[in-house]
Amino acid sequence: MTVASPDVAARLARLRVEHAGAIRQARLFVWTFARSASAMVGLVLVLAFLVLAAGGPSIVPYPDDATGAMNLAARLQPPSGAHWFGTDEMGNDILTRVVVGTRTSLWVGLIITGVAALIGVPLGVAAGYLGGAVRQVIMRVTDVFLSVPGLVLAIAIVAALGSGVLNGVIALSLVWWPGYVRLIEAKTLTIKHEPFVEAARAVGASRRRILFIHLLPNCFSPLIVKMSMDMGLAILAAASLGFIGLGAKPPAPEWGAMISVARTYMPTWWWYAFFPGLFIYLTVLGFNLFGDGLRDVLDPRASRS
Amino acid sequence: MSLLEVVDYSLAFDGFEGTHQVLDAIDLAVDVGETVGLVGETGCGKSVLAKSLLKLNDIPPARILSGSIRFDGRDLLALDETALRAIRGGGIAMIFQDPMTFLNPVFSIGDQMAEVIRARDRADNRKRGARDVRAAAAALLAAVRLPDAAALLDRYPHELSGGMRQRVLIAMALAGHARLLVADEPTTALDVTIQSQVLALLADLVAAQGLTLLLISHDLGVIGALCRRIVVMYAGTIVEDAPAAQLFDRPLHPYTQGLLAAVPDIGRPERRLAGIPGSIPNLLAPPAGCRFHPRCPLAIERCRRERPALRRIAAGQRVACHLAEPV
Amino acid sequence: MTALVEAVGLTKHYAVRHGWRRHGALRAVDGIDLTVPEGAAVGLVGESGCGKSTVARLLLRLVEPTAGTVRFAGRDITGLDELGLRPLRREMQLIFQNPHAALNPRRTLFASIAEPLVIQAGLGGAALRARVEHLMDDVGLPAQFLWRYPHELSGGQKQRVCIARALALEPRLVILDEPTSALDVSVQAQILAFLAELRARRGLTYLLISHNLAVVRQVCDEVAVMYLGRIVEHGPVAEVFAAPRHPYTRALLAAVLPPRAGALPTVALAGDPPSALELSRGCRFAPRCPLAEPVCRPTDPALDPVSHDHRVACLLARRAPASPSTA
């Protein structure tokens, strides 16, 4: 330890020098982000949902209720000290079910935006960078997808595949990508004509090098921003599928499915629908504010009009 | 009496790394009918100063540290938004490097001209029919030498060339009966042959209409062509203020001397250009004493400690340098 | 002197489409002949949209020509593909107008300067690092800047980084596309002096593209004047600027503003240049030419010699003796 430390210290010092620019940039990001109250609210909400999702069944008061136990003695109780969010028609603790549902929702949102980006980014880059007929074909197909309302198309796909969480996710992923093609194509088109790309061509850089070193890294900022904003929307869409009975099925603790059952108990047993709804609302809000804050940090030109 | 009077005006911008001391104790008076050029390099604060005249800098991040700005005897810094709007339309008009920022792309040139004319009419308690307003607009466009003015009224900003748009903005300034025209790099985006057209137009308007002109530019040629008096700025301070001929012939501040030695002159190709060594100071922590001293070939100990005041050295010539001697 | 680059009948037309339909061609560069002798500094001047930047990209084969040939060091490089061009890229480099946009914002300056060495010389590790540090030293920047990002440097510093990147492969030809027009004059003077010193030290050949005639006068031996896709005059810079033969060259020179008081430009040309989409038959300059005669409308003048190294594309220039400069 004592022998290695001067060497480690020297290496650290060198790293600090070589990454001084990156460190300063990171500090500027944090500073800009922290100055916006709404971005910080978004960050807190997103972090809170991440904690709830990570904790899941192990942090809730009634873990057994998560998968749908039966406790008819305690059915439809209003919020109280024992059941903060009240209980449902089976006597299950709604707090437990809503918190456990967080994990499902975040996974669903992550997979949908992830798959959409995986499909959309390569297509967008191909359309923007190669241009010509390739671009025409990709963009016209994208236009066709964009012209059909996404949720309606997803419902049709689920109807064909059969209902269930997994099929819902597949269907939504398949309708979610066109936005990414549009975004990345536009970004690629602008970057392609930047002098630094021309400079790379002038020193003989290959197409692959231009693509991976000059184009893609400069697409990351708007991509991250869009993905974080889409997380909320994807969660909302998945909950909508659950609500109309095409996504998760009761008694699975999924927010949309919970509201779907709960609406028959409105308005007397309002808390049954209210708390899952509140969670959907807060996740969508949280990811939107977070994404907005990220845009101010990563893509300042887009937010300044 | 001076039309415009800036006294001890200091402005700072608060940012991530701290406070940028952008303008430091600016003292400047412009008389009616004068043509004053404000020259300096990137970051010297000339555009910030121009915007300050109409309170166009967003507060925050900007912060006024001291001083006052008086236009026609009124304290601009004390005015509210409504009173300022009246000044922006009527008293002081501004034209910028990029005219598109001040033309609305969805309205025709005629509509935008009419708006300014009607605002002026309201201020004067005058009423005119739509046809008269249109005729007045066409007359103004003709006054800025735009060909086929009547047809131009129905065109949209994007259909015009850069030089034509700049003329439309000048016509709008005339429509509001502006007394002071602040032009911030008005010809920088234009080609040289178009630049001479716009400069010649400005020169004629100043002569014919008694307009007072404050011209901001980095180009000493443009300033020299139009202005009788030149104010040189460096790092947020005024370093020299002199009649144009005197400034070109006998610059007294070392920065002005450096600037003139760096400008290529097509008439004197044999002259070797000399840059000013070093780079502009970081305004987060501007140099103590004279802000130019780290780059100044003549700097002495006193320059490092003591901020030089803008002193009158010769007739009409003010210099902020400890070493400047009366001539 | 032998020709290092030689363009013959070089042409670039862009198809103009509205949706799927073709609406004719924008003739950005229309059949130009240009020779840059080894070791010379040639200036290419003209106003925006005249095609001078396209010429640079055609010579470097960054843009595909519609017609014509480019020869580099005696070899026809018009037909070469990207792979065939790669070894040639070591010999010819480009420096851009806006040094900020010419550097990838996500990469450190080390990565930007190292790029040509990685691609062309396959350097890596300590050898690469030593070479890059040496280049930084050559352009007068401290080595610790290598780990910074472009936005942390001033414009002049960024232009030095771009020069370091262009010099990395020790090219013979450097095309400078408005290298100082985004910089302040005091920095411009530094960069111009540095470029002159580099040329003397390394025997470089320059093609300087600029709208600033004073800069061209300072740097170049020869000058070619472009108007709407054509070269209208080409000759030794001292001769062309002292006794311009083409009316357009005269108008350009008349529009130059020297850094002097009261030098209001004469308005030599009225109106805007026509778009390269709607070119008239005959001489392209005729619609704006103060001297145009009926014969100019139907006849397209060729770039013909008026003395052994001075060529002019004007029917009247050869008839009338050279008039004294209007500048």
Side-chain angles (χ1 to χ4, degrees):
Chain A
M1 186 66 198
T2 43
V3 185
S5 62
D7 184 42
V8 170
R11 214 181 280 177
L12 268 179
R14 213 186 105 184
L15 276 178
R16 245 200 302 271
V17 170
E18 296 192 0
H19 295 278
I23 292 168
R24 260 196 303 279
Q25 199 136 5
R27 281 183 46 215
L28 176 65
F29 284 177
V30 171
W31 183 80
T32 316
F33 195 91
R35 259 167 68 97
S36 157
S38 61
M40 288 308 283
V41 170
L43 177 70
V44 168
L45 282 172
V46 167
L47 283 180
F49 282 109
L50 285 177
V51 168
L52 291 183
S58 54
I59 56 164
V60 293
Y62 305 94
D64 292 342
D65 291 2
T67 44
M70 194 88 94
N71 184 5
L72 294 177
R75 68 194 295 262
L76 294 172
Q77 287 183 358
S80 65
H83 301 283
W84 291 359
F85 289 3
T87 61
D88 66 11
E89 85 283 10
M90 297 296 189
N92 292 327
D93 181 47
I94 290 177
L95 173 65
T96 300
R97 291 175 57 80
V98 165
V99 168
V100 171
T102 309
R103 192 180 280 186
T104 318
S105 286
L106 287 192
W107 268 123
V108 164
L110 211 57
I111 292 172
I112 294 171
T113 47
V115 171
L118 278 180
I119 301 174
V121 171
L123 285 177
V125 167
Y129 188 49
L130 299 176
V134 178
R135 171 160 178 257
Q136 290 298 334
V137 171
I138 293 177
M139 294 321 288
R140 293 300 84 80
V141 172
T142 304
D143 287 345
V144 169
F145 270 87
L146 278 173
S147 62
V148 183
L151 200 57
V152 173
L153 194 57
I155 289 170
I157 298 174
V158 179
L161 294 174
S163 59
V165 184
L166 184 65
N167 288 344
V169 168
I170 293 174
L172 285 170
S173 303
L174 288 180
V175 301
W176 214 269
W177 57 268
Y180 289 84
V181 179
R182 271 280 176 85
L183 174 79
I184 298 296
E185 185 242 9
K187 193 75 192 162
T188 311
L189 274 180
T190 15
I191 300 173
K192 188 167 85 164
H193 296 292
E194 289 279 341
F196 68 81
V197 173
E198 210 170 28
R201 287 180 58 209
V203 296
S206 60
R207 284 189 159 204
R208 208 179 49 192
R209 187 178 170 92
I210 288 172
L211 194 60
F212 285 102
I213 291 197
H214 295 293
L215 283 179
L216 278 178
N218 281 291
C219 289
F220 275 156
S221 299
L223 182 66
I224 299 283
V225 170
K226 183 166 170 64
M227 284 181 76
S228 60
M229 292 187 129
D230 271 6
M231 275 290 288
L233 295 178
I235 288 171
L236 185 65
S240 310
L241 282 186
F243 179 75
I244 53 176
L246 289 174
K249 280 268 175 287
E254 198 270 335
W255 298 340
M258 286 170 75
I259 298 178
S260 166
V261 178
R263 79 195 138 138
T264 51
Y265 295 92
M266 288 284 277
T268 318
W269 296 281
W270 56 270
W271 58 87
Y272 189 2
F274 176 75
F275 287 105
L278 180 70
F279 267 53
I280 294 176
Y281 169 74
L282 289 178
T283 32
V284 177
L285 180 73
F287 277 107
N288 259 308
L289 293 178
F290 180 65
D292 234 13
L294 276 185
R295 170 159 55 204
D296 289 347
V297 171
L298 296 174
D299 210 5
R301 263 172 299 177
S303 55
R304 268 187 232 134
S305 53
Chain B
M1 192 187 65
S2 299
L3 182 64
L4 176 74
E5 217 172 352
V6 182
V7 180
D8 189 35
Y9 184 72
S10 298
L11 186 85
F13 279 104
D14 293 317
F16 161 56
E17 293 145 304
T19 302
H20 296 257
Q21 317 278 334
V22 179
L23 291 178
D24 186 32
I26 298 294
D27 266 306
L28 178 67
V30 179
D31 288 338
V32 175
E34 261 197 306
T35 49
V36 178
L38 205 53
V39 72
E41 297 179 294
T42 315
C44 73
K46 56 188 191 299
S47 288
V48 175
L49 178 57
K51 283 187 176 172
S52 291
L53 303 180
L54 287 174
K55 273 174 91 173
L56 290 175
N57 294 302
D58 288 331
I59 298 177
R63 189 148 51 88
I64 297 168
L65 301 178
S66 71
S68 67
I69 298 178
R70 302 181 80 81
F71 174 72
D72 209 7
R74 295 163 78 189
D75 185 357
L76 288 186
L77 300 182
L79 293 182
D80 62 4
E81 257 318 294
T82 328
L84 267 176
R85 256 204 303 278
I87 298 249
R88 281 178 198 154
I92 306 178
M94 214 167 162
I95 57 178
F96 291 89
Q97 178 173 345
D98 178 11
M100 270 317 260
T101 35
F102 274 75
L103 289 171
N104 190 332
V106 301
F107 289 106
S108 71
I109 300 297
D111 290 343
Q112 300 188 50
M113 292 286 303
E115 198 180 337
V116 184
I117 293 171
R118 289 219 178 84
R120 186 66 227 179
D121 283 355
R122 270 196 300 279
D124 294 347
N125 273 325
R126 194 148 71 120
K127 267 206 149 87
R128 274 194 274 193
R131 188 173 296 169
D132 289 343
V133 169
R134 198 179 153 87
L140 285 164
L141 291 183
V144 295
R145 296 187 205 140
L146 279 165
D148 212 359
L152 213 57
L153 290 174
D154 298 317
R155 311 261 299 265
Y156 287 84
H158 69 91
E159 299 177 281
L160 272 55
S161 70
M164 290 163 89
R165 286 180 205 143
Q166 204 59 283
R167 281 157 201 250
V168 169
L169 277 199
I170 296 172
M172 285 183 178
L174 296 179
H177 294 207
R179 301 181 59 199
L180 173 66
L181 179 64
V182 181
D184 189 356
E185 305 272 3
T187 59
T188 304
L190 305 177
D191 277 321
V192 282
T193 55
I194 311 298
Q195 165 170 288
S196 14
Q197 295 169 11
V198 172
L199 291 181
L201 170 68
L202 281 173
D204 289 353
L205 289 177
V206 166
Q209 316 229 355
L211 214 56
T212 308
L213 178 71
L214 183 62
L215 176 70
I216 291 128
S217 181
H218 69 284
D219 187 333
L220 276 162
V222 169
I223 296 270
L226 276 191
C227 301
R228 289 284 184 78
R229 191 174 134 211
I230 299 178
V231 175
V232 184
M233 286 185 73
Y234 178 78
T237 58
I238 292 180
V239 294
E240 186 157 4
D241 172 1
Q246 220 160 307
L247 188 104
F248 282 112
D249 290 346
R250 202 189 60 222
L252 290 178
H253 196 283
Y255 175 67
T256 318
Q257 292 163 358
L259 205 56
L260 284 169
V263 185
D265 184 343
I266 196 164
R268 290 149 71 198
E270 70 294 340
R271 193 175 59 115
R272 271 185 64 93
L273 300 185
I276 301 174
S279 48
I280 49 170
N282 184 347
L283 294 181
L284 278 173
C290 173
R291 286 189 174 184
F292 187 59
H293 85 252
R295 302 173 73 186
C296 182
L298 309 172
I300 55 169
E301 184 51 35
R302 188 176 171 207
C303 306
R304 282 177 253 281
R305 282 183 286 109
E306 194 185 325
R307 184 186 189 283
L310 194 58
R311 298 176 291 147
R312 190 164 300 280
I313 298 284
Q317 189 159 12
R318 296 187 302 161
V319 183
C321 178
H322 293 308
L323 299 167
E325 299 278 346
V327 272
Chain C
M1 282 191 288
T2 53
L4 184 59
V5 202
E6 198 178 358
V8 178
L10 201 56
T11 301
K12 178 69 192 178
H13 292 179
Y14 290 97
V16 180
R17 288 172 211 278
H18 284 279
W20 298 95
R21 285 179 52 207
R22 229 186 114 126
H23 267 248
L26 182 128
R27 294 191 270 173
V29 175
D30 208 19
I32 67 154
D33 299 341
L34 179 67
T35 304
V36 181
E38 173 112 53
V42 176
L44 191 58
V45 303
E47 296 179 289
S48 56
C50 73
K52 55 191 193 298
S53 285
T54 310
V55 170
R57 281 148 186 82
L58 286 167
L59 294 178
L60 291 173
R61 289 287 325 279
L62 289 170
V63 167
E64 283 305 305
T66 311
T69 54
V70 180
R71 301 175 75 83
F72 185 83
R75 181 172 161 218
D76 187 345
I77 63 166
T78 325
L80 293 179
D81 62 3
E82 208 46 60
L83 211 62
L85 280 169
R86 194 167 296 170
L88 272 169
R89 298 263 180 239
R90 311 182 68 131
E91 315 252 322
M92 43 195 205
Q93 278 300 310
L94 179 61
I95 295 202
F96 296 86
Q97 168 173 12
N98 181 348
H100 185 69
L103 296 168
N104 186 336
R106 297 237 169 261
R107 309 199 82 203
T108 59
L109 303 180
F110 177 84
S112 285
I113 299 177
E115 180 158 44
L117 297 165
V118 172
I119 293 170
Q120 292 277 1
L123 281 185
L128 177 67
R129 196 165 162 155
R131 183 89 181 86
V132 172
E133 280 176 1
H134 187 76
L135 281 164
M136 278 298 262
D137 191 48
D138 265 2
V139 296
L141 290 176
Q144 76 256 27
F145 276 23
L146 283 175
W147 313 108
R148 299 203 177 171
Y149 287 89
H151 69 89
E152 299 179 82
L153 270 63
S154 73
Q157 289 167 340
K158 274 179 279 206
Q159 195 58 291
R160 282 174 192 267
V161 171
C162 292
I163 293 174
R165 174 175 61 187
L167 293 179
L169 299 170
E170 315 210 328
R172 289 160 78 184
L173 169 73
V174 180
I175 297 189
L176 304 145
D177 188 359
E178 305 267 9
T180 58
S181 59
L183 306 176
D184 280 321
V185 283
S186 69
V187 182
Q188 165 173 283
Q190 288 172 18
I191 298 282
L192 290 180
F194 178 59
L195 287 171
E197 181 207 320
L198 270 179
R199 180 173 160 231
R201 204 166 63 204
R202 304 195 177 203
L204 294 172
T205 304
Y206 284 162
L207 178 65
L208 172 69
I209 290 156
S210 182
H211 69 277
N212 189 330
L213 299 187
V215 167
V216 168
R217 183 71 186 90
Q218 195 83 40
V219 174
C220 299
D221 320 314
E222 280 180 35
V223 63
V225 182
M226 278 189 83
Y227 186 76
L228 289 178
R230 288 278 173 84
I231 290 179
V232 296
E233 185 159 6
H234 185 175
V237 73
E239 187 179 327
V240 171
F241 282 14
R245 300 294 289 271
H246 197 282
Y248 179 63
T249 315
R250 272 183 224 153
L252 273 186
L253 284 163
V256 172
L257 296 168
R260 277 189 277 281
L264 196 67
T266 45
V267 181
L269 290 183
D272 288 296
S275 137
L277 274 172
E278 349 172 303
L279 295 176
S280 52
R281 275 185 63 226
C283 174
R284 285 159 198 224
F285 185 60
R288 286 178 90 198
C289 182
L291 307 175
E293 290 179 10
V295 65
C296 300
R297 304 278 173 174
T299 329
D300 198 359
L303 189 62
D304 288 330
V306 288
S307 72
H308 80 283
D309 54 0
H310 189 169
R311 295 179 300 156
V312 181
C314 176
L315 295 171
L316 309 173
R318 267 162 292 147
R319 206 191 310 151
S323 63
S325 164
T326 44

